[in-house]
Amino acid sequence: MEPGPPGGGRPHEPGPFLSGPRGADLAAPASSLSVVAAVLPAGGCGERMGVPTPKQFCPILERPLISYTLQALERVCWIKDIVVAVTGENIEAMKSIIQKYQHKRISVVEAGMTRHRSIFNGLKALAEEQPNLQLSKPEVVIIHDAVRPFVEEDVLLKVVTAAKEHGAAGAVRPLVSTVIGPSADGCLDHSLERARHRASEMPQAFLFDVIYKAYQQCSDYDLEFGTECLQLALKYCHTKAKLVEGSPDLWKVTYKRDLYAAESIIKERISQVICIVMDTKENKEHVGHLLEEVLKSELNHVKITPGTLCHAGKGLQQIILEQCYNFVCVNVMSSDFQETQKLLSLLEESNLSILYPVVVVSVHFFDFKLVPLSQKMENLMWIREFAKEVKKRNILLYGLLICYSQDEQKLQESLRQGTIIIAALIKERNSGLVGQLLVA
Amino acid sequence: MEPGPPGGGRPHEPGPFLSGPRGADLAAPASSLSVVAAVLPAGGCGERMGVPTPKQFCPILERPLISYTLQALERVCWIKDIVVAVTGENIEAMKSIIQKYQHKRISVVEAGMTRHRSIFNGLKALAEEQPNLQLSKPEVVIIHDAVRPFVEEDVLLKVVTAAKEHGAAGAVRPLVSTVIGPSADGCLDHSLERARHRASEMPQAFLFDVIYKAYQQCSDYDLEFGTECLQLALKYCHTKAKLVEGSPDLWKVTYKRDLYAAESIIKERISQVICIVMDTKENKEHVGHLLEEVLKSELNHVKITPGTLCHAGKGLQQIILEQCYNFVCVNVMSSDFQETQKLLSLLEESNLSILYPVVVVSVHFFDFKLVPLSQKMENLMWIREFAKEVKKRNILLYGLLICYSQDEQKLQESLRQGTIIIAALIKERNSGLVGQLLVA
């Protein structure tokens, strides 16, 4: 196990914005559980992806896919240990990932030549005393894929609860395509009735003694060519697994298009809350508040939450803890960038950007009747150097100049334009455009 | 059938950049075919997508998904007619789509209550004289899904060729998940050996008489609950379909994540070629050529092709015909924007942007020792109005100022920075940032 660096850890999980539906009833049955552990086979080479990197190590927003899956499991507090099986050549890389993203309760073991052998190695590490690992035998073990990053606590709880009752349980989904059986000459022999079959997905859960016994008795042929753990429990322990209907989120990242989809889903999830930071409490008429109103009305699928930098940024620290990854910093009191600077310092201290890139849009108003645009832009060129600096810490800083007009209609138009730009920057999270000064 | 507006059609299909692998052997067998038609059932309501719009009408880069699928079929010249079945309430919307995107050889019929009934309606329109449609009975009919936009000519040809020989043929793919049979109480009854089964995908093809007879004899139960056309041909005509291994591209847009994936794939495909436009042939030492070199070395997965505006833009028109959707216009000879203006006029005339948004980056060099940045920016503010105008025609115009320095190293750094910005703009194709002036 690779502990994270001491102190300065990333914010606590789960944040209310990134975890899925989490009923009040989830905690109670979980606490009545005995020890639960999880095993993640991650020894595959991802040949279907068409890229040289095994898919579990492919980056999404510059972080390896497997780190998202570990994050999904470790935020479930009742999973005591998480054992990851990776090939010998990837063990060091895996340990670096655990350290860099400060994952907890993770142990690394060596994968076998096949999926079943990798799972078996993970189970052995839990069952037997290992010299370098401090693990204890759980009552229930979850088996999950390293490439299904969107698993939610509720389905994990469902399979664990069902496994305690039935000995084994697994998530299933309706079939998307009709399944057919070919004849030896490559023609259609028969087709299966779609409604009578299910796709077997992950996670699955087992009483540890059931699945461990199944693997111990398992034939070499099954270890080599089998694909289904539920089948092993049935064949070797006569345990009929309970099937649990899962959500579409359980899908497996298999092809390159799935990486694209995963990236879009993650970007969408971390773009649901925007914190608008300004120190203009006293002046309700201020244009910063008008911007807030326009953001609220134009981006009605997004939660706009106000933050404040006064009182040593207390309110803001709460928002950071709740994992908001988007900040619009309105610089109004001073003509320069003190507010943005303060915000950036706070963000750097918080380690919020360890897991996801954080977007900061530094907003400045200008009245072109008073100051020429060119001069205002010249004044703000500092943002380029700043952006370069904070980008190293995964903070994406952009500047936004909003044209201030006494004409109500023109002002509204500028604010709407500013909102479109803010939405675009947050949605794309493009590091190639940091330090740019955009004009609305 | 809804003909496109007369004259000024969009560039010819297929472009060499957007079609898939296309062996020289494809044309020959195709020409020996008799009449081939295609039927697209598109009457579904997309309940799995979780959005109110049926998935075939969901926009990708602001164009409905079904238009991409029609484009994929109509670029195959040997498919004579394409019959789309949509629900009564969507017929007018479908006709507008055909007109707006200038699709050819498309007929619209009303969908039935189920997928099989919709296909049957499409076949009837081909078999029987229809008052408003000029269709003739084909020898072979392709059945494809409206939500599989990435079908390639080679797999269409394979299923058509196999259907001529065997009477029926369909594309298949390996199973991604293990398929299991549940017992009545929701437990695992059995699991299927993954290697012995296949997922049945689309396209499929049939001798017309075979599949039409099958539908005519088909029971109400099959029309209501069946999901597999190959099965109907087997059951009612004893025709054993040939199974053809398809590529991963055949996947069906089913969930919201698939829309994300489709958008990313389409964006990637139209970003493979960048045309760099400049009138500096005489001066090989010019900084525009240096930019070209940096683009080539930094974006090595992209084809950089030079275009010229002289001689009435002849070279450029060829590039437009070959469907390049990305232009970097280097304004060097004059300090203003004549080159960019010329390019925009050419693009507007060409109708290139009917199918995809076209990115134009107007590049300007400046030496901050000679002109202050602010003044240069002020000079270029015209770009905002221009961008607003051409955006109406699906052309996304951005400005890029590259800092020119006598210092070789600094210049290279600016050019690299400019390349990163160009790559970001082309990759994201974000309409919210048009008219912005970016600085490298």
Side-chain angles (χ1 to χ4, degrees):
Chain A
M1 183 139 88
E2 198 72 30
R10 50 170 228 245
H12 293 295
E13 300 268 357
F17 309 139
L18 287 185
S19 65
R22 192 164 188 265
D25 55 326
L26 285 192
S31 66
S32 73
L33 286 170
S34 322
V35 183
V36 178
V39 170
L40 258 81
C45 63
E47 61 210 23
R48 280 180 291 199
M49 187 72 81
V51 291
T53 309
K55 56 193 170 181
Q56 61 274 26
F57 296 111
C58 283
I60 296 182
L61 292 174
E62 298 183 21
R63 178 152 69 99
L65 177 58
I66 194 169
S67 168
Y68 292 90
T69 312
L70 293 179
Q71 183 190 354
L73 291 178
E74 73 182 347
R75 76 179 173 202
V76 177
C77 57
W78 46 263
I79 298 177
K80 191 168 165 277
D81 291 305
I82 301 162
V83 180
V84 185
V86 297
T87 56
E89 62 187 351
N90 284 322
I91 284 183
E92 284 313 309
M94 191 65 233
K95 287 184 173 172
S96 309
I97 290 169
I98 291 167
Q99 186 159 27
K100 180 166 183 193
Y101 301 107
Q102 302 185 10
H103 293 300
K104 308 279 187 246
R105 297 158 16 230
I106 318 282
S107 304
V108 180
V109 300
E110 190 164 345
M113 289 298 287
T114 64
R115 179 180 157 82
H116 272 332
R117 291 190 198 275
S118 295
I119 295 170
F120 195 14
N121 286 359
L123 296 174
K124 277 186 214 158
L126 287 167
E128 299 156 21
E129 289 240 334
Q130 302 284 321
N132 306 318
L133 304 173
Q134 291 194 323
L135 295 169
S136 51
K137 201 185 89 164
E139 185 192 353
V140 177
V141 64
I142 293 166
I143 297 175
H144 190 61
D145 282 329
V147 291
R148 299 189 197 247
F150 300 114
V151 62
E152 293 289 356
E153 182 169 356
D154 65 339
V155 73
L156 289 165
L157 186 60
K158 275 185 199 160
V159 293
V160 166
T161 307
K164 282 195 76 173
E165 191 182 333
H166 296 264
V172 294
R173 289 280 308 151
L175 294 175
V176 168
S177 304
T178 300
V179 174
I180 58 178
S183 55
D185 61 345
C187 286
L188 174 69
D189 185 72
H190 62 279
S191 81
L192 304 180
E193 221 178 300
R194 220 199 272 185
R196 292 194 180 212
H197 290 83
R198 287 278 180 281
S200 172
E201 308 287 343
M202 291 276 151
Q204 297 177 345
F206 302 86
L207 286 176
F208 187 85
D209 292 336
V210 167
I211 193 68
Y212 194 47
K213 185 176 149 205
Y215 271 102
Q216 283 174 313
Q217 299 185 349
C218 190
S219 71
D220 274 346
Y221 182 88
D222 279 337
L223 281 177
E224 206 62 37
F225 300 107
T227 58
E228 184 51 73
C229 303
L230 301 181
Q231 181 65 23
L232 295 186
L234 181 63
K235 184 170 171 185
Y236 293 102
C237 299
H238 309 291
T239 300
K240 279 185 111 174
K242 179 72 182 172
L243 305 178
V244 174
E245 290 289 335
S247 72
D249 297 335
L250 293 179
W251 114 98
K252 175 159 70 169
V253 174
T254 308
Y255 300 105
K256 201 173 172 194
R257 66 169 187 262
D258 296 317
L259 277 180
Y260 291 144
E263 179 169 317
S264 296
I265 290 170
I266 291 165
K267 280 182 174 177
E268 189 183 77
R269 288 192 179 188
I270 60 178
S271 301
Q272 293 307 304
V273 186
I274 300 174
C275 175
I276 178 159
V277 182
M278 55 187 152
D279 281 346
T280 56
K281 268 190 193 163
E282 285 71 37
N283 184 358
K284 288 282 174 204
E285 298 296 296
H286 193 279
V287 65
H289 292 290
L290 294 181
L291 176 63
E292 186 176 342
E293 290 313 308
V294 177
L295 278 170
K296 278 182 183 163
S297 68
E298 298 281 314
L299 309 179
N300 46 32
H301 56 288
V302 173
K303 184 178 161 193
I304 310 293
T305 181
T308 168
L309 287 160
C310 49
H311 310 300
K314 194 119 199 247
L316 208 59
Q317 268 164 359
Q318 185 56 36
I319 288 163
I320 289 171
L321 278 177
E322 287 168 359
Q323 294 171 53
C324 168
Y325 293 97
N326 313 286
F327 296 86
V328 172
C329 186
V330 183
N331 295 263
V332 285
M333 300 307 271
S334 50
S335 63
D336 57 10
F337 51 96
Q338 281 173 11
E339 280 98 339
T340 300
Q341 246 178 327
K342 255 200 221 170
L343 173 64
L344 290 174
S345 308
L346 259 174
L347 288 174
E348 290 193 308
E349 281 163 25
S350 76
N351 282 335
L352 179 69
S353 57
I354 287 182
L355 295 182
Y356 302 99
V358 173
V359 168
V360 176
V361 183
S362 182
V363 176
H364 305 260
F365 289 94
F366 80 101
D367 187 337
F368 70 96
K369 283 186 185 146
L370 302 176
V371 192
L373 173 58
S374 52
Q375 190 188 320
K376 186 78 186 173
M377 293 187 95
E378 194 99 37
N379 289 348
L380 291 168
M381 277 302 151
W382 55 267
I383 205 167
R384 298 184 63 186
E385 294 310 311
F386 249 87
K388 217 185 272 177
E389 206 45 50
V390 296
K391 191 185 152 190
K392 291 175 193 156
R393 299 174 183 232
N394 214 15
I395 296 172
L396 309 178
L397 173 64
Y398 312 90
L400 174 60
L401 259 174
I402 298 182
C403 177
Y404 182 82
S405 172
Q406 298 291 345
D407 180 316
E408 173 69 16
Q409 209 181 336
K410 275 189 189 162
L411 179 58
Q412 283 293 323
E413 184 45 39
S414 290
L415 293 171
R416 255 197 303 275
Q417 187 58 34
T419 296
I420 290 170
I421 293 170
I422 290 169
L425 294 172
I426 287 173
K427 181 178 174 236
E428 308 293 4
R429 232 161 265 269
N430 195 314
S431 65
L433 299 180
V434 297
Q436 295 297 329
L437 202 51
L438 308 165
V439 181
Chain B
M1 184 134 93
E2 198 73 28
R10 48 172 230 244
H12 293 293
E13 301 267 357
F17 307 140
L18 288 185
S19 66
R22 191 166 188 265
D25 55 327
L26 284 192
S31 67
S32 72
L33 286 169
S34 321
V35 183
V36 178
V39 170
L40 258 83
C45 63
E47 61 210 23
R48 281 181 291 200
M49 187 72 80
V51 290
T53 309
K55 56 193 172 183
Q56 61 275 26
F57 295 112
C58 283
I60 297 181
L61 292 174
E62 298 184 21
R63 177 154 68 102
L65 176 58
I66 195 169
S67 167
Y68 292 89
T69 313
L70 293 178
Q71 184 191 353
L73 292 177
E74 72 182 349
R75 75 180 173 203
V76 178
C77 57
W78 45 264
I79 298 178
K80 191 167 166 275
D81 291 304
I82 300 162
V83 181
V84 185
V86 296
T87 56
E89 62 188 349
N90 284 322
I91 284 182
E92 283 314 308
M94 191 64 233
K95 287 184 173 172
S96 308
I97 290 168
I98 292 167
Q99 186 160 28
K100 181 167 182 193
Y101 301 106
Q102 302 186 11
H103 293 300
K104 307 280 187 245
R105 298 158 16 229
I106 318 282
S107 303
V108 180
V109 300
E110 190 164 345
M113 290 297 287
T114 65
R115 180 181 156 81
H116 272 332
R117 290 189 199 277
S118 295
I119 296 170
F120 194 13
N121 287 359
L123 296 174
K124 277 185 214 162
L126 288 166
E128 299 157 20
E129 289 242 331
Q130 301 282 321
N132 308 317
L133 304 173
Q134 291 194 325
L135 296 170
S136 51
K137 204 186 87 166
E139 185 191 352
V140 177
V141 64
I142 293 166
I143 297 176
H144 190 61
D145 282 329
V147 291
R148 301 190 196 245
F150 301 112
V151 61
E152 293 287 357
E153 181 169 356
D154 65 339
V155 71
L156 289 165
L157 185 62
K158 276 185 199 160
V159 293
V160 166
T161 308
K164 282 194 77 172
E165 191 182 334
H166 296 263
V172 294
R173 290 280 307 149
L175 294 175
V176 168
S177 304
T178 300
V179 174
I180 58 178
S183 55
D185 60 346
C187 287
L188 174 69
D189 184 72
H190 61 280
S191 80
L192 304 181
E193 220 177 299
R194 222 199 270 185
R196 293 195 180 214
H197 291 82
R198 286 279 180 282
S200 172
E201 309 286 343
M202 291 277 152
Q204 297 177 345
F206 302 86
L207 287 176
F208 188 85
D209 292 336
V210 167
I211 193 68
Y212 195 47
K213 185 176 149 204
Y215 272 100
Q216 283 175 314
Q217 299 184 349
C218 189
S219 71
D220 274 347
Y221 182 87
D222 279 337
L223 282 178
E224 204 63 36
F225 300 105
T227 58
E228 183 51 74
C229 303
L230 301 181
Q231 181 65 23
L232 296 186
L234 181 63
K235 183 168 170 187
Y236 293 102
C237 298
H238 310 289
T239 301
K240 280 185 113 176
K242 179 72 182 173
L243 305 179
V244 174
E245 290 289 335
S247 73
D249 296 335
L250 293 179
W251 114 98
K252 176 159 72 169
V253 174
T254 308
Y255 300 105
K256 202 173 170 193
R257 66 170 187 263
D258 296 317
L259 277 180
Y260 291 143
E263 180 169 318
S264 296
I265 290 170
I266 290 165
K267 280 181 174 175
E268 190 183 77
R269 289 192 179 188
I270 60 178
S271 301
Q272 293 308 304
V273 186
I274 300 174
C275 175
I276 179 159
V277 182
M278 56 187 152
D279 280 348
T280 56
K281 269 189 191 165
E282 285 70 36
N283 183 359
K284 287 280 173 205
E285 297 296 297
H286 194 278
V287 65
H289 292 290
L290 294 181
L291 176 63
E292 186 177 340
E293 289 314 308
V294 177
L295 279 171
K296 277 181 184 164
S297 67
E298 298 281 314
L299 309 180
N300 46 31
H301 56 291
V302 173
K303 185 179 162 194
I304 309 292
T305 180
T308 168
L309 287 160
C310 48
H311 310 300
K314 195 126 196 243
L316 207 58
Q317 268 163 358
Q318 184 56 38
I319 287 164
I320 289 172
L321 278 177
E322 285 167 1
Q323 293 170 54
C324 169
Y325 294 97
N326 313 286
F327 295 85
V328 171
C329 187
V330 182
N331 295 261
V332 285
M333 300 306 271
S334 51
S335 62
D336 55 11
F337 50 96
Q338 282 175 9
E339 280 97 340
T340 301
Q341 245 178 327
K342 255 199 219 170
L343 173 62
L344 291 173
S345 308
L346 259 174
L347 289 173
E348 291 193 308
E349 280 164 27
S350 76
N351 282 336
L352 179 68
S353 57
I354 287 182
L355 294 182
Y356 302 100
V358 174
V359 168
V360 176
V361 184
S362 182
V363 176
H364 306 259
F365 289 95
F366 79 102
D367 187 337
F368 70 97
K369 282 188 186 144
L370 302 176
V371 190
L373 173 57
S374 53
Q375 190 188 319
K376 186 77 186 173
M377 294 186 95
E378 194 99 38
N379 289 348
L380 289 168
M381 278 301 151
W382 55 267
I383 206 168
R384 297 184 63 188
E385 294 310 311
F386 250 87
K388 216 185 272 179
E389 205 47 48
V390 295
K391 192 184 152 191
K392 293 175 193 156
R393 299 175 184 232
N394 214 14
I395 297 173
L396 309 178
L397 173 64
Y398 313 91
L400 174 59
L401 259 174
I402 297 182
C403 178
Y404 182 82
S405 172
Q406 299 290 346
D407 179 316
E408 173 70 15
Q409 208 180 338
K410 276 189 189 161
L411 179 58
Q412 282 294 322
E413 183 47 38
S414 291
L415 292 171
R416 255 197 302 275
Q417 187 58 35
T419 296
I420 290 171
I421 293 171
I422 290 169
L425 295 172
I426 287 173
K427 180 176 174 237
E428 308 292 4
R429 230 161 267 269
N430 195 315
S431 65
L433 299 180
V434 297
Q436 295 296 329
L437 202 52
L438 308 164
V439 181

